[in-house]
Amino acid sequence: MHQISNYVYASDELLSWDIPTKRLPNPYHDFPYMVLEGVLSPSECRAITAHALADKDAMQAELRGKSLDTAIRKTDLHTLSTEHRALYDRRFEAVRSEIETFFAISLSKATDVQVLGYESGSFYVKHSDDASELRDSDGNVVGYRTVAPERKLTTVLFTTSYTPNPTDSDHFSGGELLFNYLCDEAGNTITLRPEAGDMVVFLSNPYFAHEVLPVKEGFRLSLVQWHDALM
């Protein structure tokens, strides 16, 4: 493994792959991603979550207009109310400068916000946000092919929290965000357990390939957006 920030290392197999969109933040940061705490307040999180749970029109998430194999991803797509979308935009603008400074980029266009609900048994297997895996005849990953170069940065804002033993609709167990190629000095895979109101921000290239582990109990809700940027 090779060091990419003060406390995080990456798998050496990444060094042998041609990754056209490879980019890493300043290696002197403690971590190569950001966790911005309290972007939404507890009451705002509860209101957005309640709206999603009451959404009778939720549908299975798609990929570029096509249904996804539920062996790859089992996620429901919800919608934000007009009020909640305006709130999201205000809160994102409040942290935009901090994000741009950390990653040394200038954000430009962004996708619409995807409101992704994970109920018990829902998950998303390993993937890169800007690329598809290339596999050999034995099914081993041997590289990545860029399919969405406009995705430079990923933001994930959570409205529910991880807890080992959820007792209400504002919490869930399982559902950890795991970065498949990143680890600490001891070799432990970097795994984040979300807190409601927090935003996780990372580059969209294969160094930050990730998965959502199966939700065991409760409801995991996140607001996801992909951003283009000048770098």
Side-chain angles (χ1 to χ4, degrees), residues 33-156:
Y33 51 81
M34 302 179 75
V35 179
L36 299 169
E37 298 179 352
V39 174
L40 292 174
S41 71
S43 61
E44 291 163 347
C45 289
R46 286 192 292 271
I48 292 171
T49 300
H51 184 270
L53 286 169
D55 181 10
K56 303 302 183 184
D57 297 320
M59 62 185 70
Q60 175 70 27
E62 297 180 337
L63 179 63
R64 287 183 278 279
K66 297 181 180 179
S67 296
L68 282 165
D69 183 347
T70 53
I72 297 174
R73 176 181 181 183
K74 186 179 179 185
T75 318
D76 288 332
L77 188 62
H78 297 267
T79 57
L80 284 175
S81 69
T82 302
E83 174 189 357
H84 292 152
R85 178 55 201 261
L87 171 64
Y88 174 90
D89 289 341
R90 291 196 303 273
R91 296 305 170 80
F92 183 83
E93 285 304 312
V95 297
R96 172 191 287 268
S97 177
E98 187 176 355
I99 292 170
E100 291 180 327
T101 298
F102 183 94
F103 292 99
I105 60 177
S106 178
L107 295 173
S108 55
K109 298 183 298 181
T111 63
D112 198 4
V113 180
Q114 282 199 1
V115 185
L116 299 179
Y118 293 77
E119 298 181 342
S120 178
S122 296
F123 60 90
Y124 197 168
V125 301
K126 183 183 73 168
H127 63 283
S128 168
D129 285 341
D130 78 346
S132 295
E133 291 181 342
L134 300 174
R135 294 178 176 269
D136 62 18
S137 57
D138 295 322
N140 301 309
V141 177
V142 294
Y144 282 85
R145 176 174 60 89
T146 303
V147 295
E150 71 282 1
R151 292 185 178 184
K152 304 291 196 311
L153 190 81
T154 301
T155 57
V156 187

